[in-house]
Amino acid sequence: MIMKELNLDWSNLSFGYMKADYNVRCYYRNGEWSEVEVSDSEHITLHMAATCLHYGQEAFEGLKAFRGKDGKVRIFRLEANAERLQSTCDGIMMPQLPTEKFREMVTKVVKMNERFVPPYESGASLYIRPLLIGTGAQVGVHPADEYLFMVFVMPVGPYFKGGFAANPYVVIRQYDRSAPLGTGIYKVGGNYAASMKANKLAHDLGYSCEFYLDAKEKKYIDECGAANFFGIKDNTYVTPKSTSILPSITNKSLMQLAEDMGMKVERRQIPIEELDTFEEAGACGTAAVISPIERIDDLEMKRSYVIAKDGKPGPICRKLYDTLRGIQYGDIEDRYGWVTIVE
């Protein structure tokens, strides 16, 4: 396969959709998954009664591939994303995609679109979007009998325009992203639809993102928009424990790195008032990796929790960020088996 060189301004890419050369697809019919198909089309054909359109039988993942200094392409935590997708499948009654099939399709689509993997030190990466949808026709509230799983990719720049910089957040009390025993722990589109109004409100007020409290009591920290929260104090990495938070693979990785840096790690309820005690804090996820938090304003309570007193990311956030990025790019030894090298 001859790949033409792309004429892209890699260092100034936005975080948005761009057509690549190929995507890969497979179908679940008659109780089994089909062989993998390759497509160069950006479109899919759906029955108007498909369960993904009516009853939200839809799940997705997000992971990245990076080109290292040695030219090799590395995919970060492929298996962890496969496992989280399987958990989501259980939660909304879809057939599990085997990890082996997930690995085959993700590595294949990255290899076939290798010219879209940004160069080392460009600040950009290849974003990988696996998508599973119910395609079988159903007008009663029941699971579909047919499903489509596909994976497409695109090169992306930083999620936040300022890159690794401290950002302001605002507490949104009038909206909840998810219920305590609802779908918050699953990566389904409905959770993101539920966050759009609050996110727009935050942006209209001049903030980078919205900040949610628990839906039941409005006392405890839940999530930062579509990212997990963590705080640093007394050499301890603290992150919320909640039944409505998506288990972030980035957060799990950072917890492991924090432990290996000699820090204590706590997953527990965090009262909002505790924000006053954190030396550093951040939002973490695949898209942004870490977005350090400058301050969190609670407008309704007329309180502002200033965390980055000088407006800059703290030293522990910086070390965690640099270490994780170093593993992703192959600059730091992967002692955890997190990286899959595309051969």
Side-chain angles (χ1 to χ4, degrees):
M1 186 188 301
I2 299 174
M3 293 189 177
K4 294 181 181 177
E5 188 174 335
L6 290 169
N7 184 25
L8 289 176
D9 185 358
W10 298 106
S11 297
N12 289 299
L13 289 178
S14 63
F15 192 92
Y17 177 76
M18 179 187 296
K19 184 183 186 303
D21 291 329
Y22 303 101
N23 58 79
V24 293
R25 310 172 181 200
C26 71
Y27 299 87
Y28 183 87
R29 296 182 179 123
N30 301 316
E32 60 183 23
W33 290 100
S34 71
E35 294 298 311
V36 178
E37 299 177 6
V38 176
S39 175
D40 61 2
S41 173
E42 297 175 271
H43 302 283
I44 58 177
T45 301
L46 276 179
H47 193 288
M48 61 184 176
T51 61
C52 64
L53 300 176
H54 298 267
Y55 305 123
Q57 275 203 300
E58 178 272 352
F60 67 98
E61 281 296 322
L63 59 162
K64 285 182 176 179
F66 306 84
R67 191 181 300 279
K69 188 187 299 183
D70 56 7
K72 293 180 180 178
V73 175
R74 293 166 171 84
I75 303 170
F76 188 66
R77 303 213 69 173
L78 184 157
E79 286 82 5
N81 281 269
E83 291 166 6
R84 189 169 64 179
L85 178 63
Q86 289 159 4
S87 172
T88 298
C89 288
D90 285 345
I92 61 170
M93 299 292 288
M94 298 197 295
Q96 282 194 4
L97 185 85
T99 300
E100 295 73 23
K101 179 77 77 173
F102 187 95
R103 182 187 298 110
E104 174 193 357
M105 294 179 68
V106 168
T107 54
K108 187 180 187 72
V109 77
V110 171
K111 183 67 176 176
M112 295 187 75
N113 292 287
E114 192 169 341
R115 72 191 185 114
F116 288 89
V117 182
Y120 178 72
E121 286 192 331
S122 63
S125 56
L126 186 76
Y127 187 78
I128 306 164
R129 171 52 59 87
L131 174 69
L132 176 61
I133 59 174
T135 54
Q138 186 67 263
V139 291
V141 185
H142 303 291
D145 56 1
E146 293 187 359
Y147 295 83
L148 163 64
F149 178 69
M150 64 184 303
V151 189
F152 60 95
V153 300
M154 71 217 74
V156 296
Y159 189 72
F160 291 108
K161 290 181 182 178
F164 188 73
N167 293 294
Y169 288 70
V170 62
V171 175
I172 299 292
R173 292 174 177 270
Q174 59 267 54
Y175 301 109
D176 296 318
R177 178 179 177 271
S178 60
L181 297 176
T183 59
I185 60 172
Y186 308 124
K187 198 166 178 68
V188 296
N191 294 337
Y192 295 82
S195 73
M196 286 184 181
K197 198 162 188 178
N199 184 260
K200 183 179 185 305
L201 176 58
H203 287 167
D204 288 348
L205 290 170
Y207 294 91
S208 293
C209 207
E210 73 275 25
F211 193 85
Y212 294 102
L213 302 180
D214 72 287
K216 188 174 182 180
E217 298 182 85
K218 299 290 185 185
K219 290 182 180 178
Y220 302 100
I221 294 168
D222 232 34
E223 283 201 311
C224 308
N228 278 193
F229 169 87
F230 70 88
I232 305 291
K233 67 174 182 178
D234 303 326
N235 200 41
T236 304
Y237 182 106
V238 187
T239 194
K241 186 176 183 179
S242 167
T243 56
S244 61
I245 293 175
L246 181 73
S248 162
I249 292 165
T250 303
N251 197 7
K252 285 172 64 178
S253 305
L254 293 174
M255 284 189 263
Q256 180 67 63
L257 295 179
E259 275 191 358
D260 292 349
M261 285 165 50
M263 299 179 68
K264 185 180 176 183
V265 173
E266 294 179 356
R267 287 189 68 232
R268 58 173 173 81
Q269 286 187 319
I270 306 173
I272 186 172
E273 295 79 14
E274 193 173 345
L275 287 172
D276 266 337
T277 69
F278 287 116
E279 300 151 18
E280 300 179 41
C284 60
T286 296
V289 185
I290 293 176
S291 173
I293 295 173
E294 177 192 354
R295 72 179 194 277
I296 299 170
D297 292 342
D298 189 346
L299 302 180
E300 190 173 316
M301 296 299 175
K302 297 181 172 59
R303 288 202 63 176
S304 183
Y305 301 93
V306 180
I307 297 168
K309 303 294 192 292
D310 60 357
K312 298 177 182 178
I316 295 177
C317 279
R318 168 61 73 180
K319 187 173 182 181
L320 287 168
Y321 177 83
D322 288 346
T323 303
L324 189 63
R325 296 284 281 176
I327 293 170
Q328 290 173 334
Y329 280 98
D331 295 332
I332 294 176
E333 180 189 359
D334 174 24
R335 299 190 288 126
Y336 311 100
W338 289 345
V339 166
T340 300
I341 297 177
V342 178
E343 302 293 349

